């Protein structure tokens, strides 16, 4: 959602999920159609530890990262402190688990603003080890302060496994994933901050293996500014 305007009250926001499967099952047991019974019973408001007061809370991103796993990113109104929260229906929708910390005491490591970007990219099931509860990619600042692609596998992982690194930045989020080839596509301000080139990097089959260097898909020896759009 957009940031609140200066001088205006903070919008009061809550996050909910609706269990369609349970709702359909309840309707079948009652021998009625699903539209004939209330959905309130199977609607759950999501809560989590250390949530900011609702009048000081901004929801940056909500993303499914598995069939029953949901990630919520929340920051305070000043956008200098936040949490990444995992909800898993295999345990309970009612209470989430903070898996990542944002801000000075978290990934950014400074007192600046947390970027208002939606950069989570869930990985398809065939690219995720079975039984992990999902996995996802995100664009995360490195300890050196550059935004790079990180793999979180399983989704409950607190530690980013960086697929890219260096004194340059991934821009515009993750552009696409070739599921058959297990390759991630992205744009980067590389080799200079005023350029944009298109790159690919393979997803690792084993997190213990050394990450391969990205492959330039445009001629990075010539100054240029590219933008891309990938079909889903």
């Amino acid at each position: 959602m957009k940031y609140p305007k200066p001088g205006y009250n903070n919008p009061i926001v809550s996050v909910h999920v609706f269990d369609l499967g349970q709702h359909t099952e309840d309707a079948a047991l009652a021998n009625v159609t699903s539209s004939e019974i209330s959905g309130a019973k199977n609607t759950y408001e999501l809560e989590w530890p250390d949530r900011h007061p609702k009048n000081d809370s901004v929801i940056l991103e909500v993303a499914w990262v598995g069939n029953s796993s949901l990630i919520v990113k929340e920051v305070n109104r000043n956008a200098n402190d936040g949490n990444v929260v995992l909800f898993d229906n295999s345990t309970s929708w009612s209470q989430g688990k903070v898996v990542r910390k944002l801000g000075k005491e978290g990934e950014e490591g400074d007192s600046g603003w947390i970027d208002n970007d939606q950069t989570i990219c869930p990985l398809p099931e065939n690219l995720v080890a079975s039984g992990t509860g999902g996995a996802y990619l995100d664009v995360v600042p490195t300890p050196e302060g550059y935004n790079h692609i990180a793999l979180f596998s399983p989704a409950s992982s607190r530690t980013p496994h960086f697929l890219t690194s260096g004194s340059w930045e991934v821009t515009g989020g993750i552009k696409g994933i070739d599921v058959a080839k297990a390759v991630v596509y992205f744009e980067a301000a590389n080799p200079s901050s005023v350029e944009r080139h298109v790159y690919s990097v393979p997803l690792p089959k084993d997190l213990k293996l050394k990450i391969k260097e990205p492959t330039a898909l445009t001629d990075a020896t010539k100054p240029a500014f590219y933008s891309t759009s990938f079909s889903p």
Side-chain angles (χ1 to χ4, degrees):
M1 63 173 291
K2 295 181 178 179
Y3 284 116
K5 295 180 179 179
Y8 285 79
N9 292 331
N10 202 64
I12 303 301
V13 177
S14 59
V15 185
H16 301 255
V17 294
F18 177 68
D19 192 332
L20 179 59
Q22 186 62 53
H23 183 72
T24 303
E25 184 178 322
D26 291 347
L29 290 173
N31 198 29
V32 296
T33 64
S34 57
S35 61
E36 293 180 278
I37 61 174
S38 171
K41 176 185 175 183
N42 297 309
T43 300
Y44 305 91
E45 181 174 355
L46 306 185
E47 298 289 350
W48 54 93
D50 301 325
R51 181 179 181 180
H52 294 286
K54 288 188 178 181
N55 61 358
D56 189 39
S57 173
V58 176
I59 304 299
L60 287 188
E61 187 170 11
V62 179
W64 290 98
V65 295
N67 288 334
S68 61
S69 302
L70 184 73
I71 287 282
V72 174
K73 281 187 183 180
E74 178 224 18
V75 298
N76 61 348
R77 179 164 176 152
N78 288 336
N80 58 11
D81 183 77
N83 297 303
V84 178
V85 190
L86 175 68
F87 294 87
D88 190 345
N89 189 33
S90 64
T91 53
S92 172
W93 282 125
S94 59
Q95 190 71 22
K97 176 184 178 183
V98 175
V99 293
R100 293 163 51 196
K101 185 69 180 173
L102 307 177
K104 186 175 182 179
E105 304 300 324
E107 294 173 354
E108 284 69 21
D110 57 41
S111 301
W113 289 335
I114 298 167
D115 290 337
N116 180 22
D117 296 321
Q118 289 77 50
T119 52
I120 287 179
C121 183
L123 291 179
E125 286 186 358
N126 62 320
L127 297 180
V128 179
S130 61
T132 60
Y136 65 96
L137 303 174
D138 200 0
V139 178
V140 177
T142 65
E144 296 75 29
Y146 296 97
N147 289 331
H148 280 284
I149 297 174
L151 168 64
F152 292 89
S153 180
S156 58
S157 174
R158 298 176 180 272
T159 304
H161 187 80
F162 284 101
L163 304 188
T164 61
S165 62
S167 301
W168 50 273
E169 292 200 319
V170 172
T171 60
I174 294 154
K175 294 300 180 180
I177 297 177
D178 187 323
V179 177
K181 297 179 180 179
V183 170
V184 180
Y185 299 96
F186 62 95
E187 298 168 8
N190 184 25
S192 75
S193 61
V194 296
E195 297 181 61
R196 297 293 185 272
H197 286 278
V198 184
Y199 294 83
S200 67
V201 67
L203 284 165
K205 295 181 180 179
D206 187 337
L207 297 183
K208 297 179 182 179
L209 298 177
K210 183 179 179 181
I211 298 300
K212 295 182 179 180
E213 289 293 319
T215 300
L217 303 181
T218 54
D219 189 351
T221 65
K222 298 179 180 179
F225 197 108
Y226 290 90
S227 64
T228 58
S229 177
F230 286 74
S231 298

